[in-house]
Amino acid sequence: MGKPRIEEWTQLRGIAFLAIVMQHNIAEYIYRSDIEQPDSIMLTMIYHLTRFGTPTFVFLSGVMLFYHHRQAKPEYTRFIRKRFGDIYIPFVLWTLIYWLSVRIFTPEFWSSGTLDLRSLIRELFIPQTGYHLWFVIMIFQFYVLFPLFWIGVQLVYRQIIKITRITPTRSVLFLVLIAAGIYGLLMKWSYYDMGGWAASLSQPWSTLLEYRSYSWVMYWFYFLLGAVCAWAVDTWRNWSVRALPWMVSIFIGMYIWLGYDVLRGSGDVVNLNISTYLKPTTFIIIMAQMFMLYGFLILLRGKTTKFLNLLTWIGRYSFGGYLVHALIIYAIAYFTRPLQLGGWHLPITLLSFLVTAAIALAISCGLSRLPGSRYTVGLQRKRKHNSPVHGLDGMDPRRTPGPVTPVRASHSRETS
């Protein structure tokens, strides 16, 4: 028997995928020289509705791993081999696709007569043409280290059940608050201090700090929060609903503050990097958004609507959609960049978002039905005779959530 289906996880992943696509479309248009101030401000406001994207998918990665391996530690060789095939091979394939797609439209590529394989190797470690693929590098670190996380969570769990003075739920809440405080301090160091540290340190430490957004260290709190959710799903659901009024209030307050902070700190061109993921205030709004959306999904739980069915479908194909969506943005930009869009950046961005999401998901769905789909979109195609369709976690994506999807979170050019 498979584990019970947790529908809201798939739906939450669908919402986060749409936020990712919107965020990258905004980054394509908001920095153009002919953008007018009203469009720039409106795109900034929409941008701050998408900040939960990447951290939510780190959270969902932790949820899925701990949910499916709650009873026993995975056999490491088999575990990492499967994740390598489901996640890393698609990353390598799409890295090659992005690397080639950008270069074949460059005249120098044809005149030089060389492939510049050194730049391709660099893309496998520091993606630039496939700028969004950094997330696969970062999240794969959690898969590699997962057995250590599993052992740590088990040790903490055994200690919690020994405590008699307070309930296990309160013990977990207390630990989560301590972890949040530590993580908030890490965000403070990242945003205000680590840039200076990188300038004063020698190699390789300065490089590690410069590319700190590629490291699991900067996202560990969301992953372990996923473990809390996976260990007590019903308690998490109840708490999300009870905390909903507080989360809405915090979100509204932080939404106003982040918008004001960006507009105040920007010059003639809006600087969205002021709202980087690796910042304490952004961490607060991300947590409020994540819990708020989870609470709303719980309130809608059990209801069958076209909207929820659509979110479930989007979540199912989100990993493949994530891999391909930047290529769609490139294709649209090929036609829009030569145009003068003064006064039209907002509607063009919204239209580009809809087209990008629709085509990316259609491609992901189509590839999932072809041979070798595991290595292109992380899903095995549907077999005959009602055989299961395996997702990233070896489970039927029609029963349980499948792969995760992300968005770029960098301390430098986060939205490039």
Side-chain angles (χ1 to χ4, degrees):
M1 295 293 292
K3 288 182 175 292
R5 178 176 58 186
I6 312 296
E7 195 69 31
E8 67 264 19
W9 294 347
T10 312
Q11 294 163 353
L12 183 60
R13 188 169 63 250
I15 296 173
F17 169 77
L18 296 177
I20 292 163
V21 176
M22 175 61 78
Q23 189 170 119
H24 287 165
N25 273 281
I26 290 173
E28 172 61 37
Y29 292 95
I30 197 169
Y31 292 118
R32 296 193 180 184
S33 59
D34 61 337
I35 190 170
E36 297 181 0
Q37 188 179 42
D39 286 337
S40 183
I41 293 175
M42 285 300 299
L43 289 178
T44 301
M45 294 174 65
I46 297 174
Y47 177 79
H48 284 135
L49 296 175
T50 68
R51 305 312 292 136
F52 65 96
T54 294
T56 297
F57 286 111
V58 179
F59 164 76
L60 289 172
S61 296
V63 165
M64 294 302 302
L65 285 175
F66 284 102
Y67 184 69
H68 291 313
H69 301 284
R70 178 176 174 178
Q71 302 301 327
K73 184 174 69 172
E75 195 279 310
Y76 188 74
T77 302
R78 180 177 178 273
F79 171 82
I80 204 66
R81 183 172 61 245
K82 184 181 188 326
R83 269 62 193 180
F84 188 85
D86 291 339
I87 300 174
Y88 197 79
I89 291 181
F91 160 75
V92 173
L93 174 63
W94 285 97
T95 296
L96 177 61
I97 291 174
Y98 279 95
W99 182 80
L100 283 174
S101 65
V102 170
R103 279 161 178 76
I104 61 177
F105 289 102
T106 304
E108 290 79 5
F109 175 80
W110 301 101
S111 60
S112 64
T114 61
L115 290 176
D116 188 18
L117 294 180
R118 185 176 298 179
S119 67
L120 175 59
I121 295 174
R122 178 181 173 84
E123 290 286 324
L124 295 173
F125 297 93
I126 307 175
Q128 297 295 319
T129 53
Y131 54 85
H132 61 305
L133 297 178
W134 73 273
F135 183 86
V136 183
I137 296 175
M138 186 274 291
I139 204 64
F140 197 75
Q141 297 170 48
F142 283 108
Y143 287 96
V144 173
L145 298 173
F146 177 66
L148 297 179
F149 281 107
W150 189 92
I151 292 172
V153 169
Q154 288 286 344
L155 291 175
V156 172
Y157 175 73
R158 290 176 189 145
Q159 295 302 316
I160 286 176
I161 61 178
K162 294 178 181 179
I163 298 176
T164 57
R165 293 183 179 180
I166 57 177
T167 64
T169 300
R170 292 184 177 180
S171 299
V172 171
L173 180 60
F174 178 70
L175 291 176
V176 168
L177 292 176
I178 292 178
I182 296 173
Y183 186 76
L185 182 61
L186 176 64
M187 294 297 96
K188 182 266 179 187
W189 289 338
S190 174
Y191 189 78
Y192 295 103
D193 303 317
M194 287 187 182
W197 296 350
S200 61
L201 293 174
S202 60
Q203 296 291 345
W205 305 111
S206 61
T207 300
L208 291 175
L209 287 180
E210 181 183 357
Y211 293 100
R212 59 188 177 274
S213 63
Y214 288 70
S215 172
W216 68 271
V217 176
M218 293 296 160
Y219 306 93
W220 62 264
F221 177 77
Y222 304 106
F223 189 78
L224 292 182
L225 200 64
V228 176
C229 177
W231 239 261
V233 177
D234 290 334
T235 302
W236 184 278
R237 286 169 171 169
N238 294 334
W239 192 88
S240 296
V241 174
R242 291 173 59 186
L244 191 55
W246 292 99
M247 295 299 108
V248 172
S249 300
I250 293 173
F251 168 73
I252 294 174
M254 293 307 301
Y255 178 76
I256 295 172
W257 174 255
L258 258 67
Y260 172 72
D261 200 27
V262 168
L263 294 177
R264 179 183 59 178
S266 301
D268 295 334
V269 179
V270 169
N271 181 11
L272 296 181
N273 288 320
I274 294 175
S275 296
T276 175
Y277 293 123
L278 309 183
K279 185 179 181 180
T281 52
T282 310
F283 168 56
I284 296 174
I285 195 174
I286 287 170
M287 294 304 301
Q289 282 181 288
M290 188 186 303
F291 282 115
M292 181 178 67
L293 291 171
Y294 204 107
F296 283 135
L297 288 174
I298 295 303
L299 292 178
L300 296 173
R301 183 168 165 250
K303 299 180 181 180
T304 302
T305 65
K306 292 182 179 180
F307 176 69
L308 292 178
N309 290 338
L310 178 61
L311 288 181
T312 300
W313 184 84
I314 293 173
R316 184 180 305 154
Y317 296 106
S318 59
F319 182 66
Y322 168 74
L323 292 173
V324 73
H325 83 276
L327 198 62
I328 310 302
I329 294 176
Y330 278 146
I332 296 174
Y334 180 80
F335 297 99
T336 61
R337 285 182 181 178
L339 302 177
Q340 291 295 318
L341 301 176
W344 288 90
H345 285 83
L346 175 61
I348 293 297
T349 300
L350 297 177
L351 180 60
S352 178
F353 157 72
L354 294 174
V355 173
T356 301
I359 295 179
L361 290 168
I363 292 175
S364 177
C365 181
L367 289 176
S368 71
R369 301 173 186 274
L370 298 177
S373 58
R374 177 191 178 193
Y375 303 115
T376 56
V377 293
L379 288 171
Q380 292 186 12
R381 64 172 178 161
K382 185 177 181 180
R383 300 174 182 175
K384 297 180 180 180
H385 309 300
N386 297 321
S387 296
V389 186
H390 295 291
L392 286 187
D393 293 284
M395 305 296 293
D396 186 345
R398 295 166 296 180
R399 294 179 54 82
T400 56
V404 297
T405 332
V407 59
R408 175 156 177 98
S410 171
H411 58 281
S412 55
R413 294 191 60 191
E414 176 181 287
T415 59
S416 63

